[in-house]
Amino acid sequence: MDILRVNNLTKVYNSYKGAKEVVALDAISLNVSKGEFVGIMGPSGSGKTTLLNILSGVDKSTSGEVIISNKDISKMKKDELALFRRTNIGYIFQDFNLLDSLTLQENIALPLILDKVEPKDINKRVLNLMSFFDIEDLNKKYPYHISGGQKQRVAAARALINNPSIIFADEPTGNLDSKSSNNIMQTISRMNKEIDSTVLMVTHDPFAASFCKRIIFIKDGKIKMEITSNGDRKRFFDKILEVQSVIGGDN
Ligand SMILES: Nc1ncnc2c1ncn2[C@@H]1O[C@H](COP(=O)(O)OP(=O)(O)O)[C@@H](O)[C@H]1O
Ligand SMILES: [Mg+2]
């Protein structure tokens, strides 16, 4: 079953009078099925951020369709889209976005509080996820009490709290050192394997990408190539480097 279907997605920036147009996405079509872990890679300026912003409903396309769980989000009105995003989409941000004045338990619960879920159901779900990520002892602690690795697991738990049909991750290894990068990727990989979460991740980092099952390379707003993993991460890493040497990496 396809969780995400993208048809002929095009984004043109500055298409108003007099300004120079930038075609950031040029007729992109792709599908992501349930339980997949897909990476989007491409050189700087290739359209990765634009694509993720449109798929996650943060930005609007110029034309084309974005269908998540059989609903076309490109046709939704503002309120409908906001509700859809809260109930169907999970996000993992580079900088975790945890709120310092809330406990970790409250941080994870926050997306549900907005939707008036029963407090006892919220608690049950939060504690379940905290136990899944081995952070159940930290429920009353605050973000400044915990390590970077623990913060990542809190952020992952929060992304899963609404039981999303798809999780979007934007450069999750960003500026992290190799140990933290490994931690966050192990966490995302576990979500994908053990909870069957569907994940779409944008990254310029071949190490992070090596955890994916499939990678779509874009350049100049177009899909250039797609590669799949046979499960051997080291081999997939080498494959990614090879494609990057042809298409161009980031930075
Ligand atoms: N808000 C904007 N206005 C005009 N052009 C933009 C805007 N955002 C991105 N672009 C342009 O669109 C292209 C794709 O950018 P982006 O999606 O940020 O690529 P990437 O994330 O792969 O580096 C680039 O040429 C960039 O300069
Ligand atoms: Mg970007």
Side-chain angles (χ1 to χ4, degrees), residues 18-37:
K20 195 171 161 277
E21 287 189 351
V22 177
V23 181
L25 299 177
D26 188 357
I28 296 260
S29 296
L30 60 93
N31 290 343
V32 175
S33 54
K34 167 104 185 90
E36 268 205 289
F37 182 7

Side-chain angles (χ1 to χ4, degrees), residues 13-14 22-24 42-51 202 218 250:
Y13 285 114
N14 289 345
V22 177
V23 181
S44 186
S46 59
K48 302 184 295 296
T49 298
T50 302
L51 179 63
V202 162
I218 62 175
D250 211 20

Side-chain angles (χ1 to χ4, degrees), residues 2-26:
D2 285 334
I3 292 286
L4 172 69
R5 293 206 301 273
V6 177
N7 296 324
N8 260 312
L9 195 68
T10 295
K11 175 71 176 180
V12 183
Y13 285 114
N14 289 345
S15 49
Y16 50 87
K17 241 200 267 177
K20 195 171 161 277
E21 287 189 351
V22 177
V23 181
L25 299 177
D26 188 357

Side-chain angles (χ1 to χ4, degrees), residues 63-202:
S63 62
E65 292 176 328
V66 177
I67 297 161
I68 299 176
S69 294
N70 293 318
K71 301 244 165 52
D72 189 346
I73 69 161
S74 43
K75 296 202 168 53
M76 286 183 188
K77 300 239 158 57
K78 208 172 157 215
D79 290 353
E80 191 189 357
L81 180 61
L83 179 65
F84 184 85
R85 289 178 60 200
R86 281 213 308 281
T87 50
N88 285 277
I89 296 178
Y91 300 90
I92 296 178
F93 302 97
Q94 188 174 337
D95 50 5
F96 319 130
N97 279 356
L98 299 180
L99 300 177
D100 288 332
S101 59
L102 299 185
T103 65
L104 302 180
Q105 184 166 356
E106 289 160 349
N107 261 289
I108 297 169
L110 199 63
L112 290 188
I113 291 164
L114 291 169
D115 284 321
K116 304 193 189 94
V117 181
E118 288 284 325
K120 75 170 191 327
D121 295 336
I122 294 182
N123 263 345
K124 208 167 128 193
R125 206 164 152 68
V126 171
L127 293 176
N128 267 339
L129 283 169
M130 292 191 94
S131 131
F132 178 76
F133 288 116
D134 284 323
I135 46 174
E136 66 264 58
D137 304 343
L138 305 176
N139 56 337
K140 296 284 183 290
K141 292 212 153 61
Y142 288 84
Y144 50 82
H145 286 137
I146 62 169
S147 70
Q150 290 169 329
K151 276 186 195 162
Q152 290 164 356
R153 282 180 275 157
V154 171
R158 189 190 46 194
L160 287 169
I161 194 70
N162 59 353
N163 215 350
S165 33
I166 188 161
I167 293 168
F168 292 109
D170 187 9
E171 297 280 5
T173 58
N175 308 312
L176 300 175
D177 58 48
S178 62
K179 183 162 170 275
S180 311
S181 293
N182 189 47
N183 279 339
I184 183 73
M185 291 319 301
Q186 296 286 358
T187 301
I188 295 177
S189 207
R190 242 191 107 202
M191 278 163 49
N192 169 249
K193 289 197 181 111
E194 295 174 29
I195 320 182
D196 205 28
S197 298
T198 309
V199 183
L200 187 107
M201 172 179 80
V202 162

Side-chain angles (χ1 to χ4, degrees), residues 42-44 48 204 243-245 247-251:
S44 186
K48 302 184 295 296
H204 71 276
V243 177
Q244 275 196 322
S245 72
I247 291 180
D250 211 20
N251 308 315

